[in-house]
């Protein structure tokens, strides 16, 4: 039997994924060691491998087949736009992609003005403003702490993830428009899905059953 390889977005998402997989009998003891510097973890009996990567690289590993399966946020899937099968909503990591800014920026959106939009997600921002809202804007790519942009005058609004809303609130900003809901998703390489259909489908069914019970 060949190995089934999982690419997980490192951090909270990976921890929650391992907890879920454990409940359906897919475990990986060597991954639990908090001091480990290993990058790849194996369960020889089950013939599964796991590796952790930066969230935005997960779709790349899965597209090229370096991983058969990936777990990553819907935000990253949308931003990367790679050909993958999205097979399951895991139901955790729930948040929203939103257009945010100071209340004073609301009128620029209403009048479809040519404003500047800062985001870690330029493709999502572009798709939303150009194709959905039909508003011409200038998109500025940032790599983090995006809430700074409207405060220091880099942009009028931002496109960013809102979970609790605390970051916005503490910086005098708010949600102006909601773009879409987000959560952790399981993605599968298109060739792997065909080659390993039985194993992968069983995994999906087991997880579906488990997540349905949790609701
Ligand atoms: C995310 C996001 C917001 C914040 C939202 O940032 O970009 O800044 O979390 O969470 P809240 O609504 O609960 O306050 P992250 O922590 O990933 O850091 P970054 O912005 O530096 O990438």
């Amino acid at each position: 039997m060949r190995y089934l390889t999982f690419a997980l977005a490192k951090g909270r998402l990976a921890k929650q994924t391992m907890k879920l997989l454990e409940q359906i009998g897919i475990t990986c003891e060597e991954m639990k060691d908090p001091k480990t510097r290993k990058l790849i973890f194996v369960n020889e009996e089950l013939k599964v491998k796991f590796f952790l990567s930066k969230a935005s690289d997960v779709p790349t590993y899965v597209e090229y087949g370096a991983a058969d399966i990936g777990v990553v946020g819907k935000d990253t899937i949308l931003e990367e736009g790679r050909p993958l099968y999205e097979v399951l909503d895991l139901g955790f990591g729930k948040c929203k992609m939103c257009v945010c800014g100071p209340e004073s920026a609301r009128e620029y959106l209403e009048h479809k003005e040519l404003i500047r939009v800062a985001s870690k997600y330029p493709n999502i921002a572009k798709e939303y403003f150009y194709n959905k809202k039909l508003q011409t804007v200038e998109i500025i790519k940032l790599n983090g702490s995006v809430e700074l942009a409207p405060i220091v005058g880099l942009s009028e609004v931002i496109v960013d993830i809102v979970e609790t809303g605390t970051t916005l609130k503490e910086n005098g900003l708010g949600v102006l428009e909601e773009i879409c809901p987000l959560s952790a998703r399981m993605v599968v390489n298109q060739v792997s899905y065909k080659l390993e259909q039985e194993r992968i489908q069983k995994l999906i069914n087991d997880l579906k059953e488990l997540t349905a019970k949790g609701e």
Side-chain angles (χ1 to χ4, degrees):
M1 192 160 52
R2 74 188 268 279
Y3 283 95
L4 213 53
T5 302
F6 289 75
L8 309 179
K10 65 180 169 199
R12 210 155 25 129
L13 233 52
K15 288 198 184 102
Q16 284 176 283
T17 304
M18 291 314 292
K19 237 197 267 169
L20 216 55
L21 290 175
E22 215 160 85
Q23 292 177 67
I24 61 163
I26 300 174
T27 53
C28 193
E29 282 311 310
E30 62 173 4
M31 218 169 160
K32 289 181 181 164
D33 176 3
K35 286 183 302 218
T36 186
R37 302 290 297 230
K38 265 187 144 177
L39 295 171
I40 186 141
F41 307 94
V42 188
N43 181 325
E44 292 292 350
E45 289 99 280
L46 297 176
K47 286 277 180 269
V48 288
K49 284 185 192 174
F50 294 93
F51 64 82
L52 304 175
S53 80
K54 201 174 150 78
S56 53
D57 292 336
V58 169
T60 313
Y61 284 110
V62 178
E63 181 193 355
Y64 288 93
D68 301 293
I69 296 171
V71 175
V72 67
K74 179 70 177 172
D75 51 319
T76 306
I77 297 171
L78 289 171
E79 182 61 24
E80 289 295 309
R82 292 179 183 274
L84 309 164
Y85 291 141
E86 186 186 316
V87 295
L88 195 61
D89 183 341
L90 294 168
F92 54 78
K94 281 192 179 159
C95 47
K96 278 183 191 145
M97 187 63 75
C98 299
V99 179
C100 312
E103 200 44 45
S104 59
R106 197 178 286 279
E107 61 178 306
Y108 304 139
L109 298 172
E110 272 162 23
H111 302 139
K112 300 203 187 309
E113 288 183 39
L114 201 168
I115 51 172
R116 292 200 284 204
V117 179
S119 186
K120 275 199 291 188
Y121 303 91
N123 293 327
I124 295 176
K126 195 169 159 196
E127 162 68 24
Y128 180 71
F129 278 99
Y130 280 73
N131 297 340
K132 196 158 176 216
K133 294 218 15 160
L134 307 177
Q135 176 174 358
T136 305
V137 296
E138 184 181 344
I139 292 162
I140 302 171
K141 158 93 196 225
L142 287 179
N143 295 298
S145 303
V146 182
E147 290 84 358
L148 260 175
I151 299 171
V152 299
L154 176 66
S155 70
E156 281 74 30
V157 299
I158 59 174
V159 164
D160 202 14
I161 292 174
V162 179
E163 194 180 349
T164 60
T166 314
T167 313
L168 291 176
K169 211 169 156 197
E170 289 190 3
N171 291 289
L173 307 171
V175 171
L176 302 175
E177 291 176 357
E178 288 185 5
I179 299 178
C180 62
L182 305 168
S183 58
R185 308 291 163 96
M186 181 169 280
V187 291
V188 178
N189 171 274
Q190 296 184 336
V191 176
S192 303
Y193 189 74
K194 293 191 178 78
L195 290 178
E196 291 289 338
Q197 197 160 18
E198 222 171 291
R199 273 174 101 191
I200 294 176
Q201 199 53 54
K202 175 163 176 8
L203 171 73
I204 296 168
N205 291 344
D206 288 353
L207 285 171
K208 264 191 192 161
E209 213 172 292
L210 184 70
T211 47
K213 262 187 230 155
E215 271 166 16

